Structure formats: structure tokens, C-alpha cells
Amino acid sequence: MTHKSCPKCEGEMILCYVDQGSKGILVKNADGDKLFGNKKNTRINPNICADCGWVEWYAVEPGNLK
Ligand SMILES: [Zn+2]
């Protein structure tokens, strides 16, 4: 895990996960919608600045959306 600094205040960014869903929120590319499910999906997790509260979302498997 590479250390990131906040783009707003240069504080420490901490990778977190949401309390709903297992280790991330599932998001889907609408282009992948098919009768038997959508494989174009990934989970996303928030990277949060511990100083100012700025949040960035990161996809776990962004390549799946293509
Ligand atoms: Zn910050």
C-alpha cells in the first residue's frame, strides 16, 4: 500500500472500507447489463484524509469495467 497525501491539505490519507457489503460497495458499468448478470463490476473503497475528511473513492478492480 503506497502512502498517499491529501490533495486538499496534504494530510495522511487512510484507505477504509464501508460497513455495508463485504470490503467495498459493488458498482457496475451499465454497458455490462445482460440477462444473466453484469460482469463489468468492481468494488470501491474510500480513501479518507484523517486531517480534513476529504474522501477519494478507489476501485478495487477498475479493469473489470471495460
Ligand atoms: Zn486533507
Side-chain angles (χ1 to χ4, degrees), residues 6-13 49-54:
C6 176
K8 303 293 183 188
C9 75
E10 301 190 338
E12 183 185 0
M13 298 292 287
C49 175
D51 288 330
C52 76
W54 175 254

Side-chain angles (χ1 to χ4, degrees), residues 6 19-20 35 49 62:
C6 176
D19 202 22
Q20 278 82 30
L35 189 58
C49 175

Side-chain angles (χ1 to χ4, degrees), residues 18-58:
V18 290
D19 202 22
Q20 278 82 30
S22 58
K23 301 286 179 182
I25 296 176
L26 188 64
V27 296
K28 299 179 180 182
N29 180 346
D31 288 347
D33 282 341
K34 294 195 178 65
L35 189 58
F36 297 106
N38 184 340
K39 295 272 169 53
K40 292 188 175 185
N41 64 67
T42 181
R43 292 183 185 281
I44 59 173
N45 290 303
N47 213 21
I48 303 174
C49 175
D51 288 330
C52 76
W54 175 254
V55 180
E56 289 180 328
W57 288 90
Y58 277 87

